[in-house]
Amino acid sequence: MKALYTLKRFENISNAHIQLDLNKTKSYLCKFEETNKVMEKSSLPMDIGKMRTIAAKSANAGAEICGICVGKLYANAD
């Protein structure tokens, strides 16, 4: 089963974070802890190619995505 990735933004958190969903196990690439955080918005789950494109476009637009999440997204060999 392929991994899916979701970009999530939380209220009062400056950076968006990328969640990995692998075989129904969900975690953040940077180990972000969402407990007691309020989600602002979430993207649709997407494959690694689409998520890399979203991350690149967001960076070019000056949007804030967690650097650790992006680094791990590109380090993944999928």
Side-chain angles (χ1 to χ4, degrees), residues 56-71:
K57 286 182 178 178
S58 294
N60 288 338
E64 296 293 328
I65 300 178
C66 171
I68 296 171
C69 283
V70 172

Side-chain angles (χ1 to χ4, degrees), residues 2 15 18 26 37 41 53 58 66:
K2 282 199 163 198
N15 292 332
I18 298 172
K26 297 181 180 181
K37 307 286 191 301
K41 64 181 177 178
T53 299
S58 294
C66 171

Side-chain angles (χ1 to χ4, degrees), residues 6-74:
T6 306
L7 187 68
K8 294 189 172 183
R9 296 187 181 278
F10 297 86
E11 290 181 2
N12 303 316
I13 304 291
S14 58
N15 292 332
H17 292 271
I18 298 172
Q19 179 183 278
L20 168 64
D21 181 349
L22 184 59
N23 297 327
K24 305 296 181 188
T25 301
K26 297 181 180 181
S27 62
Y28 287 94
L29 298 182
C30 66
K31 308 300 184 207
F32 174 74
E33 180 54 62
E34 68 176 354
T35 308
N36 300 323
K37 307 286 191 301
V38 177
M39 187 157 57
E40 189 174 285
K41 64 181 177 178
S42 173
S43 69
L44 293 174
M46 59 192 81
D47 66 30
I48 194 167
K50 289 179 184 173
M51 183 53 76
R52 284 175 173 163
T53 299
I54 293 295
K57 286 182 178 178
S58 294
N60 288 338
E64 296 293 328
I65 300 178
C66 171
I68 296 171
C69 283
V70 172
K72 293 200 176 206
L73 182 70
Y74 279 88

